[in-house]
């Protein structure tokens, strides 16, 4: 099983990016998939989660309606749309997946056992 995150880049404050997470060896619709991020010197933190099957979503409070996670079953992809970016959103963004969650929502990185390599998002003027 492999995950590959892509779509990061340099964007000005207020700009947008769409991150993509592609899977090989797994059908993402059957897995819980989440996006995490890690800024230099900080702990990895959960950003957004989409549940296996019914596609429920959950976001960290700092998202404040700016980001959106979605899934395309036909393409076997999960996306993270990032809008209204601020410099505080600068980080390496990772996608991760796990088949079963212990908790009701999936923003705890310790629950995930498959990780992509990360994609850098830099927000700067």
């Amino acid at each position: 099983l492999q995950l590959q995150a892509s779509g990061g880049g340099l964007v000005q404050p207020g700009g947008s990016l769409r991150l993509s997470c592609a899977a090989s060896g797994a059908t993402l619709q059957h897995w819980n998939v989440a996006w995490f991020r890690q800024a230099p010197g900080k702990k990895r933190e959960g950003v957004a989660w989409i549940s296996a099957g019914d596609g429920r979503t959950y976001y960290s409070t700092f998202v404040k309606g700016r980001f959106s996670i979605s899934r395309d079953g036909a393409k076997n992809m999960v996306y993270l749309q990032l809008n209204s970016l601020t410099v505080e959103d600068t980080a390496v963004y990772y996608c991760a997946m796990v088949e079963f969650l212990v908790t009701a929502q999936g923003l705890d990185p310790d629950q995930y056992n498959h990780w992509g390599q990360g994609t850098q998002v830099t927000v700067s003027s």
Side-chain angles (χ1 to χ4, degrees):
L1 300 177
Q2 283 191 323
L3 291 175
Q4 184 168 0
S6 61
L10 173 64
V11 63
Q12 292 185 340
S16 298
L17 284 173
R18 188 177 80 158
L19 307 184
S20 300
C21 180
S24 58
T27 301
L28 287 179
Q29 189 168 359
H30 300 157
W31 293 72
N32 293 279
V33 180
W35 286 93
F36 298 86
R37 70 183 188 182
Q38 189 166 18
K42 295 189 176 181
K43 292 174 56 179
R44 189 169 297 189
E45 60 180 352
V47 179
W49 161 70
I50 186 164
S51 69
D54 62 1
R56 285 169 290 125
T57 59
Y58 186 84
Y59 299 90
S60 283
T61 54
F62 63 77
V63 169
K64 298 179 181 178
R66 301 179 298 131
F67 301 169
S68 177
I69 189 170
S70 62
R71 185 173 63 207
D72 186 330
K75 295 182 178 180
N76 202 30
M77 300 279 285
V78 169
Y79 303 101
L80 184 67
Q81 178 68 40
L82 309 173
N83 298 324
S84 303
L85 286 162
T86 72
V87 294
E88 288 75 26
D89 295 315
T90 296
V92 178
Y93 284 71
Y94 300 87
C95 60
M97 65 182 190
V98 65
E99 193 168 12
F100 300 107
L101 285 173
V102 174
T103 57
Q105 50 80 9
L107 291 184
D108 177 4
D110 291 339
Q111 294 200 60
Y112 288 80
N113 52 4
H114 298 283
W115 290 81
Q117 83 287 5
T119 185
Q120 175 71 47
V121 172
T122 303
V123 186
S124 174
S125 56

